[in-house]
Tab-separated table of all heavy atoms in Angstrom:
chain	number	residue	atom	x	y	z
A	167	SER	N	13.598	2.648	-2.171
A	167	SER	CA	12.654	3.465	-1.372
A	167	SER	C	11.553	2.610	-0.791
A	167	SER	O	11.282	1.502	-1.261
A	167	SER	CB	12.077	4.599	-2.220
A	167	SER	OG	11.253	4.106	-3.270
A	168	ALA	N	10.897	3.136	0.241
A	168	ALA	CA	9.777	2.432	0.893
A	168	ALA	C	8.880	3.452	1.562
A	168	ALA	O	9.285	4.581	1.820
A	168	ALA	CB	10.324	1.458	1.916
A	169	ALA	N	7.649	3.039	1.788
A	169	ALA	CA	6.661	3.980	2.398
A	169	ALA	C	5.625	3.184	3.147
A	169	ALA	O	5.312	2.047	2.852
A	169	ALA	CB	5.981	4.807	1.302
A	170	LEU	N	5.062	3.853	4.183
A	170	LEU	CA	4.001	3.297	4.994
A	170	LEU	C	2.984	4.400	5.223
A	170	LEU	O	3.301	5.461	5.758
A	170	LEU	CB	4.577	2.852	6.365
A	170	LEU	CG	3.562	2.404	7.418
A	170	LEU	CD1	2.825	1.126	6.985
A	170	LEU	CD2	4.276	2.156	8.754
A	171	LYS	N	1.744	4.134	4.844
A	171	LYS	CA	0.662	5.136	4.965
A	171	LYS	C	-0.564	4.461	5.553
A	171	LYS	O	-1.077	3.507	5.007
A	171	LYS	CB	0.348	5.734	3.596
A	171	LYS	CG	-0.727	6.845	3.628
A	171	LYS	CD	-0.922	7.463	2.262
A	171	LYS	CE	0.245	8.347	1.909
A	171	LYS	NZ	0.018	9.161	0.688
A	172	VAL	N	-1.065	5.020	6.685
A	172	VAL	CA	-2.258	4.510	7.362
A	172	VAL	C	-3.148	5.627	7.742
A	172	VAL	O	-2.683	6.643	8.288
A	172	VAL	CB	-1.869	3.666	8.609
A	172	VAL	CG1	-3.108	3.225	9.365
A	172	VAL	CG2	-1.015	2.472	8.216
A	173	TYR	N	-4.473	5.470	7.486
A	173	TYR	CA	-5.457	6.438	7.910
A	173	TYR	C	-6.408	5.784	8.894
A	173	TYR	O	-6.735	4.607	8.759
A	173	TYR	CB	-6.269	6.950	6.716
A	173	TYR	CG	-5.581	8.087	5.955
A	173	TYR	CD1	-4.425	7.886	5.265
A	173	TYR	CD2	-6.126	9.361	5.974
A	173	TYR	CE1	-3.772	8.924	4.578
A	173	TYR	CE2	-5.528	10.411	5.292
A	173	TYR	CZ	-4.331	10.168	4.590
A	173	TYR	OH	-3.733	11.201	3.940
A	174	ASP	N	-6.864	6.569	9.877
A	174	ASP	CA	-7.821	6.128	10.853
A	174	ASP	C	-9.204	6.768	10.545
A	174	ASP	O	-9.818	6.396	9.553
A	174	ASP	CB	-7.362	6.440	12.271
A	174	ASP	CG	-8.143	5.715	13.375
A	174	ASP	OD1	-9.056	4.920	13.029
A	174	ASP	OD2	-7.856	5.913	14.532
A	175	THR	N	-9.622	7.709	11.321
A	175	THR	CA	-10.912	8.329	11.066
A	175	THR	C	-10.807	9.754	10.583
A	175	THR	O	-11.807	10.331	10.088
A	175	THR	CB	-11.763	8.343	12.381
A	175	THR	OG1	-11.023	9.061	13.406
A	175	THR	CG2	-12.046	6.952	12.865
A	176	GLU	N	-9.666	10.350	10.658
A	176	GLU	CA	-9.469	11.740	10.281
A	176	GLU	C	-9.058	11.871	8.798
A	176	GLU	O	-8.653	10.908	8.183
A	176	GLU	CB	-8.439	12.428	11.150
A	176	GLU	CG	-8.803	12.439	12.653
A	176	GLU	CD	-10.122	13.132	12.932
A	176	GLU	OE1	-10.355	14.204	12.323
A	176	GLU	OE2	-10.909	12.635	13.736
A	177	ASP	N	-9.196	13.095	8.295
A	177	ASP	CA	-8.805	13.369	6.914
A	177	ASP	C	-7.283	13.439	6.760
A	177	ASP	O	-6.776	13.437	5.621
A	177	ASP	CB	-9.458	14.634	6.403
A	177	ASP	CG	-10.939	14.533	6.290
A	177	ASP	OD1	-11.447	13.410	6.205
A	177	ASP	OD2	-11.647	15.579	6.336
A	178	TYR	N	-6.550	13.573	7.854
A	178	TYR	CA	-5.092	13.503	7.832
A	178	TYR	C	-4.681	12.106	8.257
A	178	TYR	O	-5.386	11.388	8.942
A	178	TYR	CB	-4.480	14.585	8.714
A	178	TYR	CG	-4.913	14.595	10.164
A	178	TYR	CD1	-4.406	13.706	11.072
A	178	TYR	CD2	-5.875	15.506	10.587
A	178	TYR	CE1	-4.793	13.716	12.398
A	178	TYR	CE2	-6.280	15.541	11.915
A	178	TYR	CZ	-5.735	14.631	12.813
A	178	TYR	OH	-6.155	14.651	14.115
A	179	PRO	N	-3.451	11.695	7.900
A	179	PRO	CA	-2.999	10.332	8.167
A	179	PRO	C	-2.695	10.098	9.642
A	179	PRO	O	-2.283	10.978	10.377
A	179	PRO	CB	-1.772	10.144	7.308
A	179	PRO	CG	-1.238	11.527	7.113
A	179	PRO	CD	-2.459	12.438	7.058
A	180	LEU	N	-2.878	8.841	10.036
A	180	LEU	CA	-2.425	8.405	11.338
A	180	LEU	C	-0.906	8.154	11.302
A	180	LEU	O	-0.151	8.508	12.244
A	180	LEU	CB	-3.150	7.113	11.740
A	180	LEU	CG	-2.766	6.474	13.083
A	180	LEU	CD1	-3.196	7.367	14.226
A	180	LEU	CD2	-3.394	5.099	13.217
A	181	VAL	N	-0.445	7.532	10.186
A	181	VAL	CA	0.973	7.294	9.936
A	181	VAL	C	1.224	7.567	8.465
A	181	VAL	O	0.500	7.093	7.605
A	181	VAL	CB	1.346	5.839	10.250
A	181	VAL	CG1	2.820	5.573	9.930
A	181	VAL	CG2	1.021	5.443	11.689
A	182	ASP	N	2.255	8.366	8.191
A	182	ASP	CA	2.652	8.608	6.802
A	182	ASP	C	4.164	8.842	6.780
A	182	ASP	O	4.641	9.936	6.945
A	182	ASP	CB	1.933	9.845	6.253
A	182	ASP	CG	2.121	9.999	4.758
A	182	ASP	OD1	2.876	9.205	4.146
A	182	ASP	OD2	1.498	10.912	4.191
A	183	LEU	N	4.895	7.716	6.582
A	183	LEU	CA	6.349	7.747	6.653
A	183	LEU	C	6.925	7.292	5.328
A	183	LEU	O	6.405	6.311	4.723
A	183	LEU	CB	6.828	6.863	7.790
A	183	LEU	CG	6.317	7.160	9.186
A	183	LEU	CD1	6.787	6.140	10.174
A	183	LEU	CD2	6.726	8.566	9.604
A	184	ARG	N	8.024	7.931	4.915
A	184	ARG	CA	8.666	7.596	3.652
A	184	ARG	C	10.159	7.568	3.760
A	184	ARG	O	10.737	8.418	4.480
A	184	ARG	CB	8.288	8.636	2.572
A	184	ARG	CG	6.800	8.805	2.363
A	184	ARG	CD	6.529	9.856	1.304
A	184	ARG	NE	5.105	10.082	1.123
A	184	ARG	CZ	4.581	10.902	0.216
A	184	ARG	NH1	5.379	11.538	-0.612
A	184	ARG	NH2	3.277	11.078	0.154
A	185	VAL	N	10.765	6.623	3.114
A	185	VAL	CA	12.217	6.627	2.914
A	185	VAL	C	12.396	6.744	1.413
A	185	VAL	O	12.127	5.817	0.657
A	185	VAL	CB	12.880	5.345	3.459
A	185	VAL	CG1	14.341	5.293	3.069
A	185	VAL	CG2	12.697	5.269	4.963
A	186	ASP	N	12.800	7.918	0.947
A	186	ASP	CA	12.767	8.189	-0.473
A	186	ASP	C	13.981	7.683	-1.246
A	186	ASP	O	13.898	7.454	-2.464
A	186	ASP	CB	12.582	9.691	-0.729
A	186	ASP	CG	11.164	10.172	-0.457
A	186	ASP	OD1	10.261	9.296	-0.487
A	186	ASP	OD2	10.969	11.351	-0.192
A	187	GLU	N	15.127	7.515	-0.538
A	187	GLU	CA	16.324	7.039	-1.232
A	187	GLU	C	17.290	6.533	-0.193
A	187	GLU	O	17.812	7.284	0.613
A	187	GLU	CB	16.977	8.169	-2.042
A	187	GLU	CG	17.759	7.697	-3.255
A	187	GLU	CD	19.078	6.998	-2.903
A	187	GLU	OE1	19.732	7.466	-1.937
A	187	GLU	OE2	19.442	6.047	-3.581
A	188	HIS	N	17.472	5.205	-0.176
A	188	HIS	CA	18.343	4.593	0.847
A	188	HIS	C	18.782	3.229	0.339
A	188	HIS	O	18.090	2.583	-0.404
A	188	HIS	CB	17.566	4.456	2.137
A	188	HIS	CG	18.428	4.159	3.333
A	188	HIS	ND1	18.794	2.885	3.721
A	188	HIS	CD2	18.963	4.986	4.251
A	188	HIS	CE1	19.549	2.965	4.770
A	188	HIS	NE2	19.670	4.179	5.154
Side-chain angles (χ1 to χ4, degrees):
S167 66
L170 172 66
K171 181 175 288 191
V172 175
Y173 277 67
D174 193 1
T175 58
E176 299 302 318
D177 294 337
Y178 55 80
L180 178 67
V181 179
D182 190 356
L183 303 175
R184 304 179 184 185
V185 173
D186 286 337
E187 208 287 323
H188 194 274

